[in-house]
Amino acid sequence: MKAYWHILSDNIMEQYEFASLLHDQEYGFSLTPPDITELKQKDIPIVLLVHLHSTTFDACSLFRHLHESMDATSLHIIAYTDKQHDHEGIHRAKSLGVKYVCTKEQVKGLLSHIQKTVS
């Protein structure tokens, strides 16, 4: 699946770790949420990888804003947590409409699988 992947995390090393798994995909990364207007201009599906516990932005506010301002068919959100047994964070993200909430290791596995499938 060709898509634009945006890694949204306040951990720069984590951004590079994920980006290395997206070498055949179009991607970007930032410490704070990207410009919604720019995202809307993409003509391919958009996947946001969002760190639930970043300190540079409030993930829940972002989820609310994105669902209000984007077409749901063009935006896919994968929220991830680096905390073990993060039931509260997972529940909060899912209650705001995020379908995919996983651990950092699960995201790495997913990205590795996508690269193997695309290659």
Side-chain angles (χ1 to χ4, degrees):
M1 170 179 108
K2 268 297 192 196
Y4 173 76
W5 295 76
H6 193 90
I7 305 161
L8 185 53
S9 172
D10 60 357
N11 183 325
I12 294 171
M13 294 309 293
E14 193 169 82
Q15 291 177 357
Y16 284 110
E17 184 178 10
F18 288 159
S20 70
L21 298 170
L22 292 169
H23 55 83
D24 291 337
Q25 299 285 328
E26 184 180 343
Y27 66 88
F29 43 85
S30 61
L31 299 173
T32 58
D35 182 1
I36 301 299
T37 306
E38 284 183 31
L39 286 181
K40 286 182 176 181
Q41 294 174 359
K42 300 280 183 195
D43 60 350
I44 56 178
I46 301 161
V47 181
L48 287 178
L49 294 175
V50 180
H51 184 221
L52 279 175
H53 301 291
S54 289
T55 58
T56 55
F57 65 93
D58 177 33
C60 292
S61 295
L62 173 67
F63 298 149
R64 273 188 224 96
H65 180 68
L66 288 173
H67 284 291
E68 292 169 0
S69 55
M70 300 270 314
D71 176 13
T73 61
S74 66
L75 175 69
H76 308 280
I77 300 170
I78 300 174
Y80 69 94
T81 180
D82 52 2
K83 296 181 179 181
Q84 282 195 347
H85 310 294
D86 187 9
H87 301 294
E88 181 183 337
I90 292 168
H91 176 72
R92 196 168 6 134
K94 288 197 174 254
S95 71
L96 292 168
V98 177
K99 290 182 186 177
Y100 309 105
V101 183
C102 33
T103 66
K104 178 182 170 184
E105 292 305 312
Q106 288 172 322
V107 171
K108 287 172 36 179
L110 171 68
L111 296 179
S112 293
H113 176 74
I114 289 169
Q115 285 309 314
K116 289 176 187 171
T117 305
V118 172
S119 300

